[in-house]
Amino acid sequence: MVSINRRPCLRTGVALALLALAGTACTEEPSAGAADSADPGIGHVHGLGVDPADGTVYVAGHYGLFQIRSTNTVRRMADRIQDHMGFTVVGPRTFLASGHPGEADASSGVSPHLGLIRTTDAGATWTSVSEAGTADFHAIQPAGATLYAYDSQKGQIRRSGDQGKSWVPGARAEVIDLAAHHEKPNRVYATTPNGLRVSDDGGVNFTALADSPLMSHVDSVGKDDLVGAGTDGQVHTSRDSGRTWQVAGRLPGQVAAFAAVDRQRLLAAMEDATVVESTDGGRRFSVIYRPASG
């Protein structure tokens, strides 16, 4: 199996921080007991998305999937505590996710790894697609008929051509986020602690984009257009497949999750679960949800 070549860690401190981000909440277990006495809230945010059916923003967190209802209100879907380590919207009311069951389900014998799961009713119910009990996908990225995912259990990028029912193994790596686009589905980008990598063979072999800024998250918003959240707090954009980059603006804090709905509309979740939105390509951000303090 091909591995992504690793360079010497020239930015060790940042690389270690990115590794910590990649594994955030993996060793924690969602606590049903905490929910019985006091709602645990969202917890660490692992994913964001917009349902094209109605424009609702969804937040995938350590303690469930949530709808943003107002700047200070979210609704936990189906009152289900479930750790969503990976999350993506693939169509109206149709989402894919991965992660871990809540404590109540785990104690009844459910595997600690959900594999790939799917909902067609905006998170009210979920069904298993594949890899139940074995895979924990921390990044899930559609690209037309192709689906990419990063399996944290194997440390491997994987590709599916049948909506996640079966998988082809790819490169082994330490990956935080993946990006791909339907116009070039064989091209996939990966953010890693040592920089942005790109593959043009469906995730089997990767090369470094040496002049790219160090980013925790990246999205493809066109066949050659990329936008990402830098470890320097800035929003970086590229119009030439990552060869050159420009700074669009600055985020208000450390990013836990990031999603580009299109070139202009960007969503980001901060470490404290505050969610911000830009409608001008990252130049300005406004708060669309802020959790209660204390």
Side-chain angles (χ1 to χ4, degrees), residues 3 20 29 31 78 84 91 107 131 158 165 205 242 258 260 265 278 282:
S3 297
E29 288 296 333
S31 172
H84 300 85
S107 63
E131 302 287 332
R158 301 169 74 181
K165 296 181 182 68
N205 297 283
F258 181 84
R265 189 179 184 189
S278 173

Side-chain angles (χ1 to χ4, degrees), residues 67-86:
Q67 287 180 340
I68 292 181
R69 309 303 292 270
S70 72
T71 54
N72 58 10
T73 307
V74 291
R75 173 195 174 202
R76 179 183 285 110
M77 299 305 296
D79 291 326
R80 180 184 298 106
I81 292 182
Q82 182 171 274
D83 187 6
H84 300 85
M85 293 302 298

Side-chain angles (χ1 to χ4, degrees), residues 112-129:
H113 304 303
L114 294 174
L116 185 68
I117 58 176
R118 179 184 179 95
T119 179
T120 57
D121 53 17
T125 61
W126 293 88
T127 58
S128 177
V129 179

Side-chain angles (χ1 to χ4, degrees), residues 45-273:
V45 178
H46 301 139
L48 296 163
V50 174
D51 186 351
D54 57 11
T56 299
V57 177
Y58 285 83
V59 181
H62 187 54
Y63 294 111
L65 178 67
F66 299 81
Q67 287 180 340
I68 292 181
R69 309 303 292 270
S70 72
T71 54
N72 58 10
T73 307
V74 291
R75 173 195 174 202
R76 179 183 285 110
M77 299 305 296
D79 291 326
R80 180 184 298 106
I81 292 182
Q82 182 171 274
D83 187 6
H84 300 85
M85 293 302 298
F87 173 80
T88 190
V89 174
V90 293
R93 300 176 61 81
T94 305
F95 316 149
L96 297 174
S98 187
H100 315 288
E103 186 178 284
D105 288 335
S107 63
S108 67
V110 174
S111 167
H113 304 303
L114 294 174
L116 185 68
I117 58 176
R118 179 184 179 95
T119 179
T120 57
D121 53 17
T125 61
W126 293 88
T127 58
S128 177
V129 179
S130 65
E131 302 287 332
T134 58
D136 177 15
F137 296 119
H138 280 203
I140 305 169
Q141 176 62 58
T146 301
L147 184 67
Y148 292 98
Y150 174 66
D151 182 3
S152 68
Q153 294 302 294
K154 293 185 176 181
Q156 185 177 61
I157 296 167
R158 301 169 74 181
R159 183 181 78 253
S160 175
D162 56 10
Q163 301 180 325
K165 296 181 182 68
S166 62
W167 297 91
V168 175
R172 294 188 181 276
E174 294 166 335
V175 171
I176 300 98
D177 196 19
L178 297 171
H181 195 270
H182 67 89
E183 292 187 34
K184 291 185 176 180
N186 284 332
R187 176 175 293 171
V188 58
Y189 298 87
T191 60
T192 78
N194 285 317
L196 186 64
R197 311 289 210 218
V198 62
S199 169
D200 281 309
D201 60 5
V204 177
N205 297 283
F206 281 78
T207 58
L209 288 167
D211 295 327
S212 296
L214 191 60
M215 295 181 290
S216 58
H217 298 80
V218 68
D219 260 327
S220 176
V221 290
K223 64 178 181 179
D224 298 316
D225 293 2
L226 300 170
V227 58
T231 57
D232 55 4
Q234 298 186 112
V235 176
H236 299 276
T237 62
S238 174
R239 301 300 296 270
D240 56 9
S241 302
R243 288 188 291 275
T244 62
W245 293 85
Q246 301 77 43
V247 174
R250 178 172 288 277
L251 288 150
Q254 177 64 51
V255 172
F258 181 84
V261 182
D262 53 40
R263 287 180 176 85
Q264 296 301 309
R265 189 179 184 189
L266 312 179
L267 299 170
M270 305 297 105
E271 286 292 327
D272 67 352

